[in-house]
Amino acid sequence: MSDFIKINSTGKKIQVNDSGDFIMLELKNTTFMNNLIILVKEFEAASGELSERLSRAENGSIDEASSVIAQAAEVCVNLAARTDEVFGAGTCRKVFGEQAPGIYEFADFFEQIGGLIQEYAKKQVELNEKVAKYKEKYSRRE
């Protein structure tokens, strides 16, 4: 007989489409969370730059608009690859379907993920408070 251990999963399974596909949010995994934060910062920087260029191109030429659209497509390809790196291969296909996601779809995705993380953090704070009360109550008995 071999030794065996099993560590409780730290992930939160999230259904991402009507077909029943899931992704995992590894909320207690500091590497995952760090990579997610970096990804969101990359998204924010890229979307800010695109927004700025788009506002300048609104009164510009077709060539300028075409350049902004090409940059947006490149940004979204890179975001899709990075999203799959952080969440796991196939994440973008599961979340966005077969079409290439646009910047607004990524914004919606990150906003929803952020809401789930905030909900989890709130529950962790409540749990930590309960544990602290329990420890305080029973440590006085000694």
Side-chain angles (χ1 to χ4, degrees), residues 3-139:
D3 294 333
F4 177 79
I5 64 170
K6 182 177 179 187
I7 307 300
N8 289 337
S9 172
T10 61
K12 182 172 181 76
K13 196 174 185 181
I14 306 296
Q15 186 172 346
V16 293
N17 61 35
D18 292 336
S19 298
D21 288 327
F22 291 86
I23 62 172
M24 291 295 289
L25 294 181
E26 299 292 338
L27 299 169
K28 291 183 181 178
N29 180 326
T30 56
T31 301
F32 171 81
M33 291 303 293
N34 187 55
N35 288 336
L36 177 57
I37 290 166
I38 291 168
L39 175 59
V40 169
K41 286 180 179 180
E42 290 170 6
F43 163 76
E44 289 173 346
S47 63
E49 182 181 333
L50 284 173
S51 179
E52 187 178 305
R53 279 200 67 202
L54 188 59
S55 68
R56 287 193 314 257
E58 284 179 352
N59 297 324
S61 68
I62 291 271
D63 289 339
E64 178 63 21
S66 177
S67 173
V68 173
I69 291 169
Q71 182 184 3
E74 183 180 331
V75 163
C76 291
V77 166
N78 291 335
L79 284 172
R82 289 282 294 123
T83 299
D84 279 358
E85 286 175 19
V86 172
F87 287 90
T91 294
C92 283
R93 182 195 50 75
K94 292 176 189 177
V95 173
F96 302 112
E98 296 302 322
Q99 82 281 357
I103 201 74
Y104 298 114
E105 286 83 8
F106 278 110
D108 187 27
F109 174 71
F110 291 128
E111 183 177 330
Q112 290 185 53
I113 293 295
L116 293 171
I117 291 171
Q118 288 174 342
E119 180 183 309
Y120 170 79
K122 181 181 175 186
K123 287 180 182 177
Q124 284 302 117
V125 167
E126 291 170 0
L127 180 61
N128 290 342
E129 289 171 353
K130 286 180 184 180
V131 169
K133 286 179 185 177
Y134 175 84
K135 285 171 68 176
E136 182 181 313
K137 179 179 176 180
Y138 289 101
S139 64

